Amino acid sequence: MAGTLYWEDLAPGSVRELGTTSVDKEEIKEFARRYDPQPFHVDEEAGRQSIFGALCASGWQTAALAMRLTVDNMLRHSSSQGSPGLESLRWLRPVYPNDQLALRHVILESRPMRKRPEVGLVLSRWEMFNQDGDKVLEMEGWGMFGRRTPATPEELAAYEAQRAAS
């Protein structure tokens, strides 16, 4: 398909802005009632009495918002093969109703996959910022992407030699 991003297109150091989103207080409460019913996520008075000072979104909801932006603005147009998981996930500041959130995606590392030469691995960092420029979320994790051309035995050997030297 035209426009598809492959592993070869995801170079270390590349940065993508993956769009913006917001969440209102009813969406915060609905998500929390279903998945994270801590009082400061479901009740405005409890939120005011908490260390957050107001109703705030679950960190899991913030991560889900980042995932939605990633799918809509990158993965849907890529050869994504899923992910073996996250290395880290940090909620740095609370997200409040109607915050305007922007997501940045940075490629940190890229390498061939030894056992599946038609797939490459990419380590990425996602950073989500609110309307004041404060970072509210940071996560790092690996993604698997289809390659245009499978890794050759020579490429895999060169990667292993480079890895052994470092």
Side-chain angles (χ1 to χ4, degrees):
M1 147 171 43
T4 297
L5 289 170
Y6 291 90
W7 175 81
E8 292 88 343
D9 303 315
L10 302 170
S14 63
V15 178
R16 286 181 173 74
E17 301 301 328
L18 295 182
T20 61
T21 192
S22 64
V23 62
D24 67 30
K25 70 180 178 179
E26 293 309 316
E27 291 170 308
I28 289 172
K29 291 177 185 180
E30 181 181 330
F31 183 95
R33 280 192 293 269
R34 186 156 182 176
Y35 300 108
D36 188 1
Q38 296 182 75
F40 41 82
H41 296 322
V42 296
D43 179 82
E44 291 174 65
E45 182 56 33
R48 281 191 287 279
Q49 299 300 318
S50 74
I51 63 169
F52 305 114
L55 179 78
C56 65
S58 165
W60 296 111
Q61 185 174 21
T62 304
L65 292 166
M67 187 67 206
R68 181 59 192 241
L69 287 171
T70 301
V71 170
D72 287 350
N73 298 303
M74 184 184 148
L75 295 181
R76 183 173 293 182
H77 313 288
S78 78
S79 62
S80 174
Q81 304 290 308
S83 170
L86 294 174
E87 297 291 317
S88 65
L89 170 61
R90 295 179 46 209
W91 299 302
L92 302 168
R93 292 187 182 267
V95 170
Y96 297 108
N98 303 314
D99 276 357
Q100 297 300 307
L101 304 171
L103 186 63
R104 177 179 301 144
H105 178 256
V106 180
I107 307 278
L108 302 175
E109 183 181 332
S110 178
R111 64 179 174 86
M113 196 167 183
R114 281 178 246 137
K115 294 190 181 202
R116 300 216 31 223
E118 73 281 5
V119 177
L121 290 167
V122 175
L123 178 62
S124 299
R125 179 175 55 239
W126 292 263
E127 300 170 311
M128 184 172 269
F129 299 89
N130 67 17
Q131 66 279 355
D132 298 320
D134 297 324
K135 192 185 296 186
V136 299
L137 173 139
E138 182 175 282
M139 60 185 176
E140 291 186 7
W142 290 93
M144 300 178 293
F145 291 87
R147 294 174 56 127
R148 282 190 186 92
T149 306
T152 64
E154 295 80 17
E155 179 185 356
L156 292 170
Y159 172 75
E160 291 300 328
Q162 177 188 11
R163 189 170 164 205
S166 55

